């Protein structure tokens, strides 16, 4: 397990990350409220508690790198800079959404920012990321591909077939992919211990000769330090690398997961002591970069930005009936 | 027009397109060093090198998924499946990712991917290796499904597939690889969704595709000796499905027989027959007949296998029934 390292991140960046984490948290909380009000339909999987992982990794990636995500994809999309109004509008099923309202919560895309999407079948997007990584090298670039997925995906055949290919192609320097395991302890309601014969998930990549490590997924600074080193190495070598980030979701698996019989309140409370926002706030206060007034300022800014996103989503028109038949074929 | 085999038509088209477009690359089991189970990729590893001709492990889910990712990033991968039966472990990738990602991304990505290989039965491969999967894949919007029956169409449709912007399910037939026929040279293409009247006739329309086309033509020869003139339509493409050409023919002949190798329930013939009823019910002088495989897993024994799949005489009998 990787622990906190000396901070090499400038104060301004730390403050920016704090603002981003608070904003993403308020955004996700708003989506839960909007879901309960019937504004958002279908499935809704929020990443409350897990925000430091996408923020740390995507901060370490270059603007021209690409990534693939599971269905828990809101925060990845937001931290990559996609307009929050477009994200909220997608959840609201509106034309102004990232995918014109045709994908919804599980399928946020923004290809202009290298976001090749969220996918709804556990593990199903991992082979795509391996092929994407091959393509980036085939095209003669030094771009890398990040592939985010949960601990549940570690037991899918898709992960293992994709990891084997990555191991093979990586030997030739042709597979610059970073596997980012977002181990939030549960695949829906089944704990890692009850689902994986080897509970230390990172080690399973040993089988494919893919270097791997575990790291704290709650401290964004730790995540970033690991991510920067790993992303640089993958970019340099064209070989895959896997990082198992240890994180936790404070909300249910999805909006329907109300009673959570698989875990105790005490367990959730224990993890809340390591809330990524709390950890960063503590660090910033210790360094004199944050005080109560500044916290209130950030909260107000975040809340206003969320409400602007909601207003945009509300005002955006529904996709017109013609959209039903668009984008099935390219011609 | 030069003659070549179905196999040579496929191989030469791959070569021409790979020479023309560096984005085209090949993946599959034993396509490189081994040169392909059916030798469609013979010599290509030597010609293009291992970055463009990728021998994969036996891992269809993995390498078909990876090919989809390559296509999303702008390459034009061509996957060989040793047979279409082996595509089933990758069905999730093909149906849930390749077919839909353009749609659920709101048009942000394309998947210009061709998956090709032999489909169907008839060479004693028993239950797991003899399936025809055209209606399975044809069910899903977002895919193109083609099934060429001749060397010329193999060439023309493969070239169209290699230049298309969508995932193409390219169904070949093992029994056709050695078949010779005239093949137009140079930039010959056959557009998707265009059936062909391959034998004109006034009495009955016989609709078929892939290997069944040749049985339909043999039945038509037999029936011609009895004075029955069959009009034989080759669908060539199952999705999009060219019902206009079929209906136009049926309006002339007033009778139709639809032939498929696959199982009867929910098959391509049911779809075509319904399309005929919807478009030209009043033109029909008899109910549409279907000739299909029997509703059983494919048996191994030669005699049972022959019973399990359509042959010329069953097609001829169906034609005689609609003429009664």
């Amino acid at each position: 397990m990787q622990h906190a390292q000396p901070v090499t991140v400038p104060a301004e960046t730390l403050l920016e990350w704090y603002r981003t984490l608070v904003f993403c948290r308020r955004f996700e909380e708003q989506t839960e409220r909007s879901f309960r009000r019937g504004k958002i339909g279908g499935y809704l999987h929020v990443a409350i508690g897990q925000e430091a992982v996408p923020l740390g990794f995507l901060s370490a990636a270059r603007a021209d790198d690409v990534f693939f995500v599971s269905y828990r994809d809101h925060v990845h999309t937001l931290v990559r800079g996609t307009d929050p109004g477009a994200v909220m509008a997608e959840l609201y099923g509106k034309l102004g959404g990232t995918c014109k309202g045709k994908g919804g919560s599980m399928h946020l895309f923004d290809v202009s920012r290298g976001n090749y999407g969220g996918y709804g079948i556990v593990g199903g997007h991992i082979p795509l990321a391996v092929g994407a990584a091959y393509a980036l090298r085939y095209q003669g670039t030094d771009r890398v591909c990040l592939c985010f997925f949960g601990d549940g995906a570690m037991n899918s055949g898709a992960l293992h077939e994709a990891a084997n290919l990555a191991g093979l192609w990586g030997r030739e320097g042709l597979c610059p992919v970073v596997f980012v395991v977002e181990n939030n302890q549960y695949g829906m309601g089944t704990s890692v211990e009850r689902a994986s014969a080897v509970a230390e998930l990172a080690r399973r990549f040993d089988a494919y000769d893919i270097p791997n490590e575990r790291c704290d997924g709650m401290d964004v600074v730790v995540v970033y330090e690991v991510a920067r080193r790993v992303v640089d190495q993958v970019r340099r070598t064209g070989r895959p690398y896997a990082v198992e980030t240890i994180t936790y979701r404070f909300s249910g698996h999805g909006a329907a997961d109300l009673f959570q019989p698989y875990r105790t309140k005490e367990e959730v409370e224990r993890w809340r002591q390591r809330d990524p926002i709390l950890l960063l706030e503590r660090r910033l206060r210790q360094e004199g970069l944050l005080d109560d007034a500044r916290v209130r300022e950030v909260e107000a800014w975040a809340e206003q930005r969320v409400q602007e996103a909601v207003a945009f989503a509300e005002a955006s028109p529904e996709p017109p009936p013609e959209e039903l038949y668009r984008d099935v074929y390219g011609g | 027009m030069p003659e070549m085999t179905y196999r040579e038509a496929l191989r030469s088209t791959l070569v021409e397109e790979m020479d023309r477009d560096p984005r085209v690359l090949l993946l599959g089991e034993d396509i490189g060093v081994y040169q392909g189970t059916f030798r469609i990729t013979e010599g290509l590893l030597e010609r293009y090198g291992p970055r463009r001709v990728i021998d994969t492990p036996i891992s269809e889910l993995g390498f078909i998924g990876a090919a989809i990712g390559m296509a999303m990033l702008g390459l034009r991968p061509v996957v060989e499946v040793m047979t279409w039966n082996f595509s089933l472990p990758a069905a999730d990738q093909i149906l849930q990712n390749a077919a839909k990602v353009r749609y659920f991304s709101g048009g942000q990505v394309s998947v210009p991917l061709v998956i090709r290989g032999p489909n169907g039965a008839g060479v004693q491969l028993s239950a797991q290796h003899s399936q025809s999967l055209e209606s399975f894949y044809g069910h899903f919007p977002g895919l193109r499904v083609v099934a060429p029956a001749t060397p010329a169409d193999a060439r023309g449709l493969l070239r169209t597939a290699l230049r298309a912007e969508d995932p193409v399910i390219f169904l070949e037939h093992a029994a056709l690889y050695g078949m010779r026929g005239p093949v137009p040279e140079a930039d010959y293409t056959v557009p998707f969704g265009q059936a062909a009247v391959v034998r004109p006739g006034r009495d009955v329309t016989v609709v078929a595709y892939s290997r069944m086309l040749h049985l339909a033509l043999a039945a038509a020869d037999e029936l011609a000796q009895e004075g029955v003139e069959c009009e034989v339509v080759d669908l060539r493409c199952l999705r999009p499905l060219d019902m206009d050409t079929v209906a136009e023919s049926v309006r002339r002949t007033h009778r139709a027989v639809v032939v498929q190798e696959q199982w009867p329930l929910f098959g391509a013939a049911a779809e075509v027959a319904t399309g005929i009823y919807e478009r030209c019910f009043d033109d029909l002088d008899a109910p549409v007949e279907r000739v299909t495989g029997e509703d059983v897993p494919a048996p191994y024994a030669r005699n049972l296998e022959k019973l399990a799949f359509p042959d010329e005489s069953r097609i001829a009998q169906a034609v005689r029934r609609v003429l009664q």
Side-chain angles (χ1 to χ4, degrees), chain A residues 123-138:
Chain A
H125 62 297
I126 304 171
L128 305 187
V130 168
Y134 188 95
L136 294 173
R137 281 291 150 126
Y138 184 93

Side-chain angles (χ1 to χ4, degrees), chain A residues 66 68 90 98-100 102-104 107-112 115-116 118-119 121 123-139 143 157-159 161-162 164-165 168-169 172-174 323-331, chain B residues 21-25 27 50-52 54-70 72-75 89 92-93 96-97 99-110 140-144 163-167 239-240:
Chain A
V66 304
F68 292 73
E90 186 62 29
T98 51
C99 308
K100 300 187 282 186
K102 292 161 81 167
H107 304 299
L108 297 175
F109 278 71
D110 185 350
V111 168
S112 71
N115 179 352
Y116 277 83
Y119 295 82
I121 305 299
H125 62 297
I126 304 171
L128 305 187
V130 168
Y134 188 95
L136 294 173
R137 281 291 150 126
Y138 184 93
Q139 290 160 337
R143 298 157 72 196
L159 177 276
E161 295 203 14
N164 183 54
L165 289 173
L168 282 171
W169 295 345
E172 315 296 323
L174 288 170
E323 275 300 329
L324 180 63
Y325 299 104
R326 282 196 191 127
D327 308 318
V328 180
Y329 293 104
Chain B
D21 186 347
R23 296 172 302 174
V24 179
L25 75 168
L27 298 92
R51 283 196 184 199
R52 289 187 81 186
I54 305 170
D55 271 327
T56 64
I58 302 166
S59 180
E60 284 82 5
L61 189 176
F63 67 76
I64 290 178
I68 296 166
M70 291 175 184
M72 289 172 70
L73 267 287
L75 302 186
D92 182 64
Q93 293 297 320
Q96 294 276 42
N97 288 334
K100 297 172 183 167
V101 68
R102 176 192 297 282
Y103 196 78
F104 64 59
S105 71
Q108 291 186 61
V109 291
S110 300
F140 285 81
L143 299 178
R144 311 277 194 190
R163 296 180 184 181
E165 295 304 319
D166 300 302
R239 180 185 263 277

Side-chain angles (χ1 to χ4, degrees), chain A residues 68-70 76 122-123 125-126 147-154 159 178-183 205 242-243 245:
Chain A
F68 292 73
V69 201
S70 72
H76 304 73
V122 172
H125 62 297
I126 304 171
C147 183
F148 297 90
F149 49 89
D151 47 279
M154 285 299 305
L159 177 276
V178 183
F179 297 112
V180 185
V181 187
E182 300 169 316
N183 179 357
F205 288 92
V243 181
T245 60

Side-chain angles (χ1 to χ4, degrees), chain B residues 226-240:
Chain B
E226 301 169 20
V228 174
E229 287 303 327
C230 296
E231 177 145 300
V232 180
V233 177
D234 179 3
L235 289 175
R236 302 200 287 191
C237 189
L238 284 299
R239 180 185 263 277

